[in-house]
Amino acid sequence: MENKSTALNSGVVASVRGSVVDVRFDAHLPPIYSILRAGAKNEIVIEVLAQNDAHHVRGIALTPTQGLARGMAVEDTGGPLKAPVGKGILSRMFDVFGNAIDREPAPSDIQWRSVHRDPPPLARRSTKSEVFETGIKVIDVLMPLERGGKAGLFGGAGVGKTVLLTEMIHNMIGHEEGISIFCGIGERCREGEELYRDMKAAGVLPNMVMVFGQMNEPPGSRFRVGHAALTMAEYFRDDEHRDVLLLIDNIFRFIQAGMEVSGLMGQMPSRLGYQPTMGTELSGLEERIANTDTGAITSIQAVYVPADDFTDPAAVHTFSHLSASIVLSRQRASEGLFPAIDPLQSSSKMATPGIVGERHYKLAQEIRRTLAQYAELKDIIAMLGLEQLSPEDRNVVARARRLERFLTQPFFTTEQFTGMKGKLVSLEDALDGCERILRDEFKDLPESAFYMIGAVDEAKANAKPSAPKTPTETKPQPQPTPVAAAHAA
């Protein structure tokens, strides 16, 4: 009965200022977060964010407000913004309202759930810290991710963020049998379309959902798209008992959308113009990403750092939620060391003896020490040459260069570009390889043998044929060409 009365609850537009709409209700006021609809075909969607007095509410339009005027009728839908959940949403692409935007028919076999949900209670959370294996050597060895944790991916344009995210989706579906959800907050439509095509080509779409709040959409829509994606992720964790990989690109744009909404609502800005409620808003989103007794939502979030200033309030608040930071380096990308992760700037809270074990911890520390010593010696090598170093330093350089190349890896999602078959490397194989390189077991092999391989034993296979083949193969090769040319003539 109550639903009927709220469904019939209607008001009129009192004022429109850009995306801010004031609505007058005479019967009773809709609660905060209620969705109101207005316009000729009810196409304008407004979310209530404040109750001004006994008869007026103020809301933010989640759609453009062209054509909205004072005195227009407004319908109260009687509930908050809802997102579709269920098996029917897999392999599909949605907007913030749950409309399919991939030119396919609307999905069947779905339910609708409110996007405003509480984080799981502490009693349901898993207290055990587990490592989330990605199959990517450099991440698993030096900056292990937490199952049910949050990792930040820091990097500029063109250093391989999307490729790394795509590979993680592929590996997650391949060996974890999990679900991947990609949430684009303030994405360019070009990026979304390219990602969709790449996922389809890589064959990972059947276990994936994509949700986009694009750059040209109003701030209210971009602000809520993260909540919609999380609601879908929570369904797969709590109802289907499956592990979920949630990729968010870009968490800074979520904060930015909140700043725009806050400004439109007339709130007093805080430090550097950010909204005074930034900490609460970010926590409301991040705390829902958790490891519970039924499954885990593991999140990897691309983070844009404004003007490379890590003391910016947006970066500081985001850092406090992350359990691992992966920094991508343009210099390593230019050297062809892919994935272009900077091992010295990246870090993880999981890399402690109590979680990853004594052997893994000590090995990771030794790798970092070797790479750091090599970074210090680079200036001397550039000025005086390798010959001027002491034998001990020369050994350090040789180990570090082999380690750098061993920590590269061919990806499944780039097979069509590189022609190299992708490799999934277990943590044990990755640790074993690093340990043997540090013990100088392969000091007689050329550095190039370690480049773009999986397990370390492939280096021997790479080095053996390359030694005898190159001289013999290069000599006879010019000979058949003229013979073939004569035959053709």
Side-chain angles (χ1 to χ4, degrees):
M1 190 72 188
E2 196 182 315
N3 262 355
K4 203 172 180 186
S5 65
T6 51
L8 295 173
N9 186 26
S10 61
V12 290
V13 175
S15 72
V16 184
R17 294 186 306 284
S19 288
V20 181
V21 183
D22 285 3
V23 184
R24 178 182 174 84
F25 285 91
D26 289 322
H28 64 268
L29 284 188
I32 302 287
Y33 297 146
S34 291
I35 290 292
L36 315 175
R37 287 186 172 268
K41 299 175 189 165
N42 275 354
E43 75 281 6
I44 297 169
V45 182
I46 302 157
E47 184 178 48
V48 176
L49 288 185
Q51 296 178 335
N52 291 355
D53 54 42
H55 293 289
H56 289 88
V57 293
R58 179 166 291 171
I60 283 281
L62 306 185
T63 52
T65 51
Q66 282 95 332
L68 196 63
R70 279 189 203 173
M72 271 192 176
V74 177
E75 290 295 321
D76 174 13
T77 61
L81 184 66
K82 290 186 165 73
V85 298
K87 287 182 178 166
I89 66 172
L90 288 172
S91 81
R92 303 302 302 272
M93 199 188 224
F94 297 97
D95 65 8
V96 70
F97 305 109
N99 303 320
I101 52 172
D102 51 9
R103 299 186 195 162
E104 301 278 330
S108 55
D109 183 29
I110 55 168
Q111 313 159 20
W112 292 84
R113 286 189 187 170
S114 165
V115 302
H116 303 282
R117 296 165 68 85
D118 291 328
L122 288 176
R124 275 196 55 215
R125 292 188 182 231
S126 172
T127 53
K128 193 169 67 177
S129 290
E130 289 179 68
V131 171
F132 172 80
E133 272 195 47
T134 61
I136 298 167
K137 289 181 283 194
V138 64
I139 294 178
D140 289 344
V141 172
L142 292 175
M143 59 228 62
L145 305 187
E146 182 182 4
R147 183 174 173 269
K150 296 168 272 275
L153 198 57
F154 302 84
V159 291
K161 281 201 301 288
T162 307
V163 171
L164 197 55
L165 290 182
T166 316
E167 184 69 6
M168 285 185 186
I169 294 169
H170 183 281
N171 294 356
M172 168 81 178
I173 290 167
H175 77 127
E176 296 269 346
E177 293 170 1
I179 298 286
S180 290
I181 295 179
F182 184 90
C183 172
I185 305 178
E187 281 283 279
R188 298 165 188 85
C189 59
R190 169 184 62 78
E191 292 173 342
E193 192 267 340
E194 279 174 8
L195 189 75
Y196 182 75
R197 269 192 291 113
D198 291 347
M199 295 299 162
K200 206 167 188 176
V204 298
L205 210 53
N207 278 329
M208 189 173 175
V209 187
M210 298 166 102
V211 195
F212 285 100
Q214 289 169 5
M215 204 173 248
N216 61 321
E217 291 178 22
S221 166
R222 284 180 274 128
F223 188 53
R224 286 286 171 240
V225 72
H227 299 94
L230 254 171
T231 305
M232 295 174 183
E234 285 167 341
Y235 163 81
F236 288 112
R237 179 191 66 191
D238 301 337
D239 295 38
E240 300 266 331
H241 303 302
R242 294 176 77 172
D243 281 0
V244 183
L245 181 63
L246 176 66
L247 303 145
I248 302 176
D249 188 9
N250 188 310
I251 204 70
F252 173 76
R253 293 191 196 134
F254 166 77
I255 293 171
Q256 210 171 29
M259 182 162 71
E260 288 176 53
V261 168
S262 171
L264 288 165
M265 292 297 290
Q267 291 179 348
M268 182 73 75
S270 174
R271 188 169 153 234
L272 291 184
Y274 284 104
Q275 64 271 39
T277 51
M278 174 170 58
T280 319
E281 288 166 2
L282 189 62
S283 304
L285 187 76
E286 298 277 13
E287 288 300 304
R288 286 168 66 182
I289 302 168
N291 183 358
T292 69
D293 46 14
T294 54
I297 299 175
T298 305
S299 172
I300 297 164
Q301 307 170 6
V303 185
Y304 166 70
V305 182
D308 290 341
D309 176 17
F310 283 85
T311 62
D312 188 273
V316 170
H317 278 80
T318 308
F319 270 130
S320 64
H321 292 281
L322 300 177
S323 53
S325 305
I326 300 170
V327 179
L328 293 170
S329 146
R330 193 170 297 282
Q331 188 192 344
R332 291 178 74 82
S334 65
E335 289 170 13
L337 300 172
F338 289 104
I341 295 169
D342 188 327
L344 299 177
Q345 283 194 329
S346 308
S347 63
S348 168
K349 289 177 183 170
M350 300 296 285
T352 61
I355 296 169
V356 295
E358 198 70 42
R359 176 189 172 226
H360 184 165
Y361 174 73
K362 282 185 174 167
L363 203 52
Q365 292 297 91
E366 197 177 342
I367 293 165
R368 282 179 189 279
R369 198 179 306 117
T370 306
L371 293 174
Q373 282 175 291
Y374 175 46
E376 284 171 15
L377 292 168
K378 272 183 181 172
D379 288 344
I380 300 169
I381 296 166
M383 287 188 290
L384 304 172
L386 198 61
E387 297 75 31
Q388 300 301 317
L389 296 179
S390 68
E392 196 181 319
D393 283 348
R394 240 176 287 176
N395 282 342
V396 167
V397 171
R399 275 181 224 130
R401 288 178 67 87
R402 281 171 175 77
L403 277 172
E404 276 188 338
R405 278 146 189 76
F406 177 61
L407 292 175
T408 62
Q409 192 168 337
F411 281 175
F412 291 97
T413 46
T414 56
E415 278 177 17
Q416 64 264 44
F417 310 116
T418 60
M420 283 188 262
K421 196 162 167 42
K423 300 275 166 66
L424 188 77
V425 185
S426 70
L427 176 61
E428 196 45 52
D429 284 349
L431 290 172
D432 177 57
C434 293
E435 195 169 40
R436 288 165 71 184
I437 289 169
L438 288 167
R439 285 205 311 255
D440 289 339
E441 194 177 310
F442 303 102
K443 64 177 180 184
D444 299 328
L445 296 186
E447 290 168 7
S448 57
F450 296 89
Y451 182 65
M452 287 291 173
I453 60 169
V456 78
D457 290 323
E458 291 176 32
K460 287 180 181 172
N462 277 5
K464 274 177 190 166
S466 65
K469 261 190 189 174
T470 35
T472 49
E473 258 183 12
T474 44
K475 278 176 191 168
Q477 249 169 356
Q479 286 168 358
T481 3
V483 177
H487 271 294

